[in-house]
Amino acid sequence: MTDSRQLYQEMILEHNKKPRNWGLLADATHKAEGVNPLCGDHIHLSLRLAGDTVEAVGFEGEACAICKASASMMTAIVKGKTRADAEQMVQEFRDMTTGKLDPAGPHHLGRLTVFAGVRDLPTRVKCAILPWHTLHAAFAGTDTASTE
Ligand code: ZN
C-alpha cells in the first residue's frame, strides 16, 4: 500500500512538472471543454482523428495536480488508439475510480491504475475523471463536459 501511494505521488508530481501533449492542436477534428466546478478544474482537449484512430491529442487549461496528471497520462495512452479502444478506457477508468473495477483484474489501463486510490477520496474522483469525461464529450461531438 505504501508503495502504491508513493508511486501515485511520484506520477502526479512528474506529470505536473512535464505534462504530456500540452497545447491545443491547430487542426483538431474533435474538441471539448471540461469543467469541474467543485475544484475549479477547467480544461480544453483537442483531438485529431485519422479514420477511426486518434492520431494526435493535446490539452491545456487550469487544473489541480490530480486533474492535470490524469489528463497528461490519458493523452499519452490514447494516442494511436482507436476510438473504440479509447472509449473502453473511459469506461474502465470511470469504473476503477468509482470502485466498480478491480485494478488487479483484467483491464487496459496500464499505469493509470495509480489513480485507483482516489476511489477513497470522493472529492478527488471528479478531478481524476474530468479529462475522461471531456474525451468522451469530444468523441460524441458535445462541446462541454461537466462533473456536476
Ligand atoms: Zn481538481
Side-chain angles (χ1 to χ4, degrees):
M1 197 62 209
T2 310
D3 283 353
S4 72
R5 279 209 65 79
Q6 194 178 346
L7 180 64
Y8 171 75
Q9 302 279 1
E10 280 169 14
M11 297 288 271
I12 301 277
L13 284 172
E14 154 69 12
H15 281 267
N16 271 277
K17 212 190 298 171
K18 284 189 287 179
R20 314 299 194 271
N21 304 297
W22 182 261
L24 298 177
L25 306 173
D27 53 355
T29 58
H30 294 67
K31 54 187 170 183
E33 184 178 359
V35 289
N36 171 17
L38 201 69
C39 172
D41 304 314
H42 188 175
I43 59 166
H44 292 268
L45 181 72
S46 60
L47 307 170
R48 188 172 73 244
L49 265 69
D52 224 24
T53 301
V54 180
E55 197 177 55
V57 52
F59 82 101
E60 60 181 40
E62 290 289 327
C64 70
I66 292 173
C67 182
K68 202 174 185 184
S70 179
S72 173
M73 290 175 73
M74 178 189 80
T75 58
I77 203 167
V78 301
K79 201 193 269 187
K81 297 279 192 303
T82 63
R83 178 178 166 157
D85 285 348
E87 287 276 29
Q88 187 179 4
M89 279 186 248
V90 171
Q91 187 62 50
E92 289 180 354
F93 190 88
R94 193 182 298 166
D95 287 349
M96 178 182 72
T97 51
T98 52
K100 279 182 268 182
L101 181 146
D102 179 359
H107 59 76
H108 306 83
L109 296 170
R111 302 180 85 187
L112 285 159
T113 53
V114 294
F115 286 99
V118 299
R119 66 176 177 260
D120 302 323
L121 309 162
T123 58
R124 293 328 225 165
V125 169
K126 290 179 176 181
C127 299
I129 249 175
L130 180 68
W132 299 84
H133 276 316
T134 312
L135 178 64
H136 179 70
F139 282 136
T142 315
D143 290 339
T144 311
S146 174
T147 52
E148 297 305 305

